[in-house]
Amino acid sequence: MTGRIRNRDLARKVVDAEEAASLIRNGDNVGMSGFTGAGYPKEVPGALAKRVAKAGVEGTPMKLGLWTGASTAPELDGVLAEVDGIDLRMPYQSDPVTRDKINRGSLDYTDIHLSHVAQRVWQGFFGKLDVAVVEVSGITEEGLLIPSTSVGNNKTWLDQADRVILEVNSWQSTSLEGMHDIYYGTALPPGRRPIPIIGPGDRIGSAYLHCPPEKVVAVVETDSPDRNTHFTPPNSDSRRIAGHLLDFLELEVRAGRLPKNLLPLQSGVGNIANAVLAGLQDGPFDELTAYTEVIQESMLELIDSGRMRSASATAVSLSPAAMDRFNARMAEYRDRIVLRPQEISNHPEVIRRLGCLAMNGIIEADIYGNINSTHLMGSRIQNGIGGSGDFARNSYLSMFMTPSLAKNGAISTIVPMVSHVDHTEHDVDVVVTEQGLADLRGLAPRRRAELIIERCAHPDYRPALRDYFERAQRSSFGAQTPHLLSEALSWHENYVRTGSMRG
Amino acid sequence: MTGRIRNRDLARKVVDAEEAASLIRNGDNVGMSGFTGAGYPKEVPGALAKRVAKAGVEGTPMKLGLWTGASTAPELDGVLAEVDGIDLRMPYQSDPVTRDKINRGSLDYTDIHLSHVAQRVWQGFFGKLDVAVVEVSGITEEGLLIPSTSVGNNKTWLDQADRVILEVNSWQSTSLEGMHDIYYGTALPPGRRPIPIIGPGDRIGSAYLHCPPEKVVAVVETDSPDRNTHFTPPNSDSRRIAGHLLDFLELEVRAGRLPKNLLPLQSGVGNIANAVLAGLQDGPFDELTAYTEVIQESMLELIDSGRMRSASATAVSLSPAAMDRFNARMAEYRDRIVLRPQEISNHPEVIRRLGCLAMNGIIEADIYGNINSTHLMGSRIQNGIGGSGDFARNSYLSMFMTPSLAKNGAISTIVPMVSHVDHTEHDVDVVVTEQGLADLRGLAPRRRAELIIERCAHPDYRPALRDYFERAQRSSFGAQTPHLLSEALSWHENYVRTGSMRG
């Protein structure tokens, strides 16, 4: 019994990862922890993958339903996809091996809004959850579970699973205790009550995850870091995108349409998002707040510098260096950061009430403001919609960001018609590229097209977009959203055929 | 002073419609009452259209921004579009003349979620609201306004407009008094509080609309019916669609995934919706509730028969015969029907909390479960998204209904790729046609395609869909959502070119 497992009964259940993995059966639905490479189980998935591989060799192939919070890491998604151990993956992934299996058609992937997962699992239409495999940072004397660097769907997995396997990761800081807020008031309708969050930092639940000890079939001790990747400083395109966005927010404040300290920020992850947050460091805004999915590098810096008052998320995803700082200064952060279940961090009710400012990266936008966040050339999945729909649909302002070119200019991210729609024209307020920003609010589709082409498209593709739009206006079946059906997807066809949208 | 205008100050402001219309100026944004042909102003719009026509002849053309709750009637949308008096129309229309102008490119139309209108007007990005023209059924001694058969955005128009013109329609029943619930607790963020609705019938506001009397520049007395259209009994396709849907709901109850009395119903309007509601009349469900936009014929019958306990909406739209019955028995209905502002009837927070069962008609669905609710052949607007997105995105179950054929079989409503997306694959649980029902919940796109083709498509088009899907799986750029980019929209192209999707 180490200092991390302070409960006597659960300490008796410590086994190694192989033994724990042996408790998972062919056909099981398995709910694992993990969100954006944080707080996922580090050893059981690998041991499970070995079992699956062995079973395959022995002619008794093993398949599992794999459910998580969001993306995990090669040690989880990667190893299980590699051995073809997954038959249905949900609700999000960003793993190269998994992605490849999906796009070859050998793995089913259901890409759903992150806020919907818990409710849909309770509803029961994904089938029974058999096993939960959840990383925690410790277990109290009373058997309460101290969550790790992500909460994700862990509350739901622990509630719904028949059998629970815990990984207690002593790499995680002990000072995480007290940072989480696990709300136990959600329910299926009828009789649901309001979620009582009024401000981003409100605490409405317990600092611990609850789990009946008799459901715990194994406890595994680990000591491994999260998939914390090195921080890449924003490149020039990202800085330009951030500049346009911050100018826009300043104008909105000046016009009286936003308060001086803005509204709770939601930010996707990645280079552009980091550039926006870095830009806020030097900008005119103070007393910022965030109501978002993931606390990332630049958001931590905003808290460090005092620019940001409080941040709510469901996961912390940092570089190794920032994670060291985070762990060292945890006591200070505990008052300013709240980690919640993803059904709450992404809850439509709360997002609408708080009036979030949603900022998310995309794959492509079309001239009428429809957004593709998930598919390359209409059919190849990249990652998934994640929480972008939860925020876009219910936010106060819904902003989407992308460089205007991809693949060294072979791809224009502004196209006549997107090849897949994840956010409809009705849900998109602002599109930004390094070229400029298009404020689409209140505009009819034809007016949006003028703005998006002139402000957002790259000059190399602008003449072709203008030409399409002009010809479409002349000969379209209707003038609300002019299109030439035989050409609308031809840019994507060109790319598939020739390797460039230029055809 | 008639019995309808019990306030002395406002009674002094009675003028005729021409004089009232003369108070509206070129360039004004005008917010008018009206939702699904109920409660729109009956005389001022006509008088205004005459002014606009005269101004055009005199060489001083007049253009207005026209904002309403949703659709109105020929006497409003029709006459104003006819004289080219509108430069921006929002948020919804279903008028033939308006539709034609939009599709010729001479009228800008912004098609937005009905729940978003009030918030977006307060935010100010549609510009200043200059004039409100609102029908009421009476004015109390204190100057409180008794709403008419729809609430729509009237609260917002009265709050935001500089000048207010009231139409007091004595055709409307005096017993409407007390049926409405106008919530005055909404606000822009930050500092928003929960909307305190826990059940569909909860009353949280005032029975009256408030308006500072000094803003009222004119009061016009009218005596005209709403655009109440005759009720068409459900046809056989609609009855079959309803049958599949009701069977599905019964199975959900049996599986324990829905309570015995279901959950609050949201129902679009029209023949299919009426068939579903009529089917509930004979079905096994009691103590039903509705949280919807419009109380229609068949819903009233559910209330009459005692099947439905309570219904919340923002408008009442009935046939003339049913409206007579409604008016005669108003006192009974007052306890069972609540009419609210559309920002509340369609509020994401409330819809999510109540767990609505959303049922909406569509133009087309594709094999992967994307839905087109608004555009014919990708570019020609039909009506608009209305509240379907408000409900689809935040409901407990999001169900879409259509006959499998249109235009005598020249159109398949199940296509390889929809020509416009209003509800993405992430927001669609169930698709139903007269052929059958596809339960898409939890399924990866390829599994959805199998179901939609086999259960929903018409047998005449099924082989061509199977063929597309099979070939797409073989040669698509990725297997998550297999498509052949050069053929994906070819069915629509065929229709535009030849008058039939068969090509």
Side-chain angles (χ1 to χ4, degrees):
Chain A
M1 180 156 101
T2 77
R4 295 286 182 136
I5 308 175
R6 308 200 296 260
N7 178 274
R8 213 168 273 276
D9 290 344
L10 292 178
R12 280 197 208 100
K13 299 189 180 177
V14 171
V15 295
D16 65 17
E18 286 64 36
E19 193 173 338
S22 75
L23 302 169
I24 299 172
R25 300 167 197 151
N26 181 30
D28 275 353
N29 287 321
V30 185
M32 296 207 186
S33 60
F35 199 109
T36 322
Y40 56 91
K42 308 295 188 292
E43 295 196 6
V44 173
L48 182 59
K50 280 186 199 144
R51 268 198 71 203
V52 172
K54 191 155 167 274
V57 170
E58 289 166 358
T60 53
M62 199 175 157
K63 289 273 189 190
L64 307 162
L66 176 60
W67 313 345
T68 60
S71 60
T72 65
E75 308 97 279
L76 197 169
D77 262 301
V79 294
L80 284 167
E82 188 63 53
V83 297
D84 291 320
I86 307 169
D87 61 0
L88 180 73
R89 179 74 181 94
M90 73 109 176
Y92 185 85
Q93 63 75 37
S94 67
D95 177 73
V97 182
T98 306
R99 183 187 298 133
D100 185 60
K101 299 271 179 181
I102 296 169
N103 285 316
R104 286 168 187 277
S106 65
L107 197 166
D108 272 12
Y109 173 48
T110 303
D111 172 21
I112 67 174
H113 299 297
L114 298 184
S115 76
H116 283 189
V117 181
Q119 165 172 300
R120 291 181 169 221
V121 167
W122 305 341
Q123 274 181 282
F125 64 72
F126 281 103
K128 175 87 197 102
L129 180 65
D130 301 290
V131 188
V133 184
V134 172
E135 177 179 285
V136 298
S137 62
I139 302 174
T140 70
E141 273 179 37
E142 302 83 358
L144 296 169
L145 310 180
I146 306 165
S148 166
T149 38
S150 73
V151 180
N153 288 310
N154 293 348
K155 167 186 162 286
T156 302
W157 298 167
L158 295 170
D159 282 354
Q160 294 284 312
D162 286 337
R163 290 162 275 148
V164 171
I165 296 170
L166 299 174
E167 284 199 6
V168 183
N169 186 353
S170 53
W171 183 88
Q172 301 285 7
S173 168
T174 53
S175 355
L176 277 165
E177 190 170 355
M179 182 174 274
H180 308 87
D181 186 62
I182 315 298
Y183 183 57
Y184 276 91
T186 48
L188 288 181
R192 277 183 178 155
R193 318 288 305 181
I195 313 286
I197 292 178
I198 308 295
D202 289 358
R203 288 180 180 274
I204 60 172
S206 158
Y208 304 96
L209 286 161
H210 306 166
C211 179
E214 62 276 14
K215 289 215 298 193
V216 178
V217 294
V219 178
V220 177
E221 292 178 296
T222 67
D223 184 6
S224 303
D226 281 332
R227 184 206 70 190
N228 294 314
T229 43
H230 286 280
F231 180 70
T232 317
N235 62 27
S236 69
D237 273 0
S238 295
R239 285 200 309 273
R240 270 190 223 118
I241 292 170
H244 298 310
L245 198 70
L246 294 171
D247 288 349
F248 168 75
L249 293 176
E250 266 197 77
L251 285 173
E252 287 296 296
V253 171
R254 248 181 272 155
R257 286 193 289 263
L258 280 179
K260 264 190 192 165
N261 69 334
L262 304 181
L263 286 164
L265 304 168
Q266 177 264 334
S267 166
V269 291
N271 201 274
I272 301 177
N274 270 318
V276 172
L277 297 173
L280 286 167
Q281 197 65 265
D282 309 317
F285 309 113
D286 275 308
E287 293 287 304
L288 293 167
T289 60
Y291 198 82
T292 189
E293 285 177 4
V294 181
I295 307 281
Q296 58 202 294
E297 195 91 3
S298 306
M299 198 171 271
L300 205 64
E301 283 163 14
L302 287 173
I303 295 175
D304 288 342
S305 71
R307 287 274 186 195
M308 181 167 280
R309 199 173 61 203
S310 72
S312 163
T314 192
V316 175
S317 182
L318 302 169
S319 70
M323 187 48 91
D324 289 346
R325 203 170 72 231
F326 182 70
N327 285 336
R329 300 178 53 183
M330 191 73 78
E332 292 164 55
Y333 292 127
R334 216 160 34 206
D335 292 338
R336 295 176 173 269
I337 294 177
V338 188
L339 297 181
R340 312 177 188 277
Q342 73 193 64
E343 57 174 320
I344 302 298
S345 67
N346 289 27
H347 201 292
E349 171 179 333
V350 183
I351 290 167
R352 166 79 176 210
R353 184 180 305 139
L354 297 179
C356 291
L357 306 182
M359 302 179 286
N360 289 289
I362 63 177
I363 288 175
E364 59 180 4
D366 70 27
I367 56 175
Y368 299 112
N370 298 284
I371 298 287
N372 172 10
S373 301
T374 58
H375 284 67
L376 299 177
M377 308 302 140
S379 56
R380 189 179 292 181
I381 195 79
Q382 183 63 16
N383 297 332
I385 193 168
S388 62
D390 294 323
F391 284 92
R393 181 64 188 79
N394 295 298
S395 274
Y396 196 65
L397 275 181
S398 166
M399 299 173 277
F400 292 95
M401 316 174 293
T402 177
S404 66
L405 297 177
K407 298 266 178 200
N408 294 316
I411 288 177
S412 169
T413 60
I414 307 296
V415 291
M417 178 187 265
V418 288
S419 58
H420 186 270
V421 179
D422 295 288
H423 309 289
T424 76
E425 50 153 338
H426 315 282
D427 291 339
V428 178
D429 294 323
V430 168
V431 175
V432 202
T433 70
E434 83 289 350
Q435 298 293 319
L437 179 147
D439 176 3
L440 309 177
R441 297 174 299 172
L443 299 180
R446 288 192 310 275
R447 309 293 160 212
R448 288 181 222 145
E450 290 160 8
L451 270 190
I452 291 176
I453 294 171
E454 301 307 326
R455 301 267 170 88
C456 300
H458 192 276
D460 289 358
Y461 284 96
R462 220 174 270 162
L465 287 167
R466 281 187 200 128
D467 176 58
Y468 177 86
F469 180 51
E470 278 160 24
R471 286 183 298 117
Q473 285 183 88
R474 282 202 300 276
S475 53
S476 176
F477 188 65
Q480 169 73 355
T481 306
H483 268 305
L484 303 167
L485 291 168
S486 60
E487 281 185 43
L489 298 172
S490 64
W491 294 33
H492 303 87
E493 276 179 76
N494 281 343
Y495 179 82
V496 171
R497 214 177 48 238
T498 69
S500 170
M501 283 191 173
R502 292 193 176 90
Chain B
M1 182 156 97
T2 76
R4 294 287 183 137
I5 308 177
R6 309 200 296 262
N7 177 273
R8 212 168 273 276
D9 291 342
L10 292 178
R12 283 198 207 100
K13 299 189 180 177
V14 170
V15 296
D16 65 17
E18 286 66 33
E19 194 174 335
S22 75
L23 301 170
I24 299 172
R25 300 167 198 150
N26 181 31
D28 275 354
N29 287 321
V30 185
M32 296 206 185
S33 61
F35 199 109
T36 322
Y40 56 91
K42 308 294 188 294
E43 295 196 6
V44 173
L48 181 60
K50 280 186 197 144
R51 266 198 72 203
V52 171
K54 194 158 165 274
V57 170
E58 288 167 357
T60 53
M62 200 173 156
K63 288 276 188 188
L64 307 163
L66 176 61
W67 312 346
T68 61
S71 60
T72 64
E75 309 97 280
L76 197 170
D77 262 301
V79 293
L80 283 167
E82 189 64 55
V83 298
D84 293 319
I86 308 169
D87 60 1
L88 180 73
R89 179 76 179 92
M90 73 110 177
Y92 185 85
Q93 64 75 38
S94 68
D95 178 73
V97 182
T98 305
R99 184 186 297 133
D100 186 60
K101 300 269 178 181
I102 296 169
N103 285 316
R104 286 168 188 277
S106 65
L107 197 165
D108 272 12
Y109 173 48
T110 303
D111 172 21
I112 67 175
H113 299 297
L114 297 184
S115 76
H116 282 188
V117 181
Q119 165 172 300
R120 292 183 167 220
V121 167
W122 304 342
Q123 275 180 281
F125 64 72
F126 281 104
K128 175 88 198 100
L129 180 65
D130 301 289
V131 189
V133 184
V134 171
E135 178 179 283
V136 298
S137 64
I139 302 173
T140 70
E141 273 179 38
E142 304 82 358
L144 296 169
L145 310 180
I146 306 165
S148 165
T149 38
S150 73
V151 180
N153 288 310
N154 293 348
K155 167 185 162 288
T156 301
W157 298 167
L158 295 170
D159 282 353
Q160 294 283 314
D162 286 336
R163 289 161 276 149
V164 170
I165 297 170
L166 299 173
E167 285 199 5
V168 183
N169 186 354
S170 54
W171 182 88
Q172 300 287 7
S173 168
T174 53
S175 359
L176 277 166
E177 189 170 355
M179 181 173 276
H180 309 87
D181 186 61
I182 315 298
Y183 182 57
Y184 276 91
T186 48
L188 289 180
R192 276 181 177 155
R193 318 288 306 181
I195 312 286
I197 292 177
I198 308 294
D202 289 357
R203 288 179 181 273
I204 59 171
S206 159
Y208 304 96
L209 287 162
H210 306 165
C211 180
E214 62 276 14
K215 290 217 294 194
V216 179
V217 294
V219 178
V220 176
E221 292 178 296
T222 67
D223 184 6
S224 303
D226 281 331
R227 184 205 70 189
N228 294 314
T229 42
H230 286 280
F231 180 70
T232 317
N235 62 28
S236 70
D237 273 359
S238 295
R239 284 200 308 273
R240 269 190 224 119
I241 292 169
H244 298 309
L245 197 69
L246 295 170
D247 287 349
F248 168 75
L249 293 175
E250 266 199 76
L251 284 173
E252 287 296 296
V253 171
R254 248 181 273 156
R257 285 192 291 263
L258 281 179
K260 262 190 193 166
N261 70 333
L262 303 181
L263 285 165
L265 304 168
Q266 177 263 334
S267 166
V269 292
N271 202 274
I272 301 176
N274 270 317
V276 173
L277 297 172
L280 286 168
Q281 196 66 263
D282 309 317
F285 309 112
D286 275 308
E287 293 287 304
L288 294 167
T289 60
Y291 197 82
T292 190
E293 285 177 2
V294 181
I295 308 281
Q296 57 203 297
E297 196 92 3
S298 306
M299 199 171 271
L300 204 65
E301 282 163 15
L302 287 172
I303 295 174
D304 288 343
S305 71
R307 285 275 187 196
M308 182 166 280
R309 199 173 62 203
S310 72
S312 164
T314 192
V316 175
S317 182
L318 302 169
S319 70
M323 188 47 92
D324 288 347
R325 202 171 74 232
F326 182 70
N327 285 335
R329 301 178 52 183
M330 190 73 77
E332 292 164 55
Y333 293 128
R334 216 160 33 208
D335 292 337
R336 294 176 173 268
I337 294 177
V338 187
L339 296 181
R340 311 178 189 277
Q342 73 193 63
E343 58 174 319
I344 302 298
S345 67
N346 288 29
H347 201 292
E349 170 179 335
V350 182
I351 291 167
R352 166 79 176 210
R353 184 179 305 140
L354 297 179
C356 290
L357 305 181
M359 302 180 286
N360 289 289
I362 63 177
I363 288 174
E364 60 181 4
D366 69 28
I367 56 175
Y368 299 111
N370 299 285
I371 298 287
N372 172 9
S373 300
T374 58
H375 284 69
L376 300 178
M377 309 303 140
S379 55
R380 190 179 290 180
I381 195 79
Q382 183 63 15
N383 296 333
I385 192 168
S388 60
D390 294 323
F391 285 91
R393 181 64 188 78
N394 295 297
S395 274
Y396 196 65
L397 275 181
S398 167
M399 299 173 276
F400 293 95
M401 316 173 293
T402 177
S404 67
L405 297 177
K407 298 267 179 199
N408 294 316
I411 288 176
S412 169
T413 60
I414 307 296
V415 290
M417 178 187 266
V418 287
S419 59
H420 186 270
V421 179
D422 295 288
H423 309 289
T424 76
E425 50 153 338
H426 315 282
D427 293 337
V428 177
D429 294 323
V430 168
V431 174
V432 203
T433 70
E434 83 289 351
Q435 298 294 320
L437 180 145
D439 177 1
L440 309 177
R441 296 174 299 172
L443 300 181
R446 289 192 309 275
R447 309 293 161 212
R448 289 181 221 145
E450 289 160 8
L451 270 190
I452 291 176
I453 294 171
E454 300 308 325
R455 301 268 170 89
C456 300
H458 193 276
D460 289 358
Y461 284 96
R462 219 174 271 163
L465 287 167
R466 281 187 200 129
D467 176 57
Y468 177 87
F469 179 51
E470 278 161 24
R471 286 184 298 118
Q473 285 183 90
R474 281 204 298 277
S475 52
S476 176
F477 188 65
Q480 169 73 353
T481 307
H483 268 305
L484 303 167
L485 292 168
S486 59
E487 280 186 43
L489 299 171
S490 64
W491 294 33
H492 303 88
E493 276 180 77
N494 281 343
Y495 180 81
V496 171
R497 214 176 49 237
T498 69
S500 170
M501 282 190 173
R502 292 193 175 91

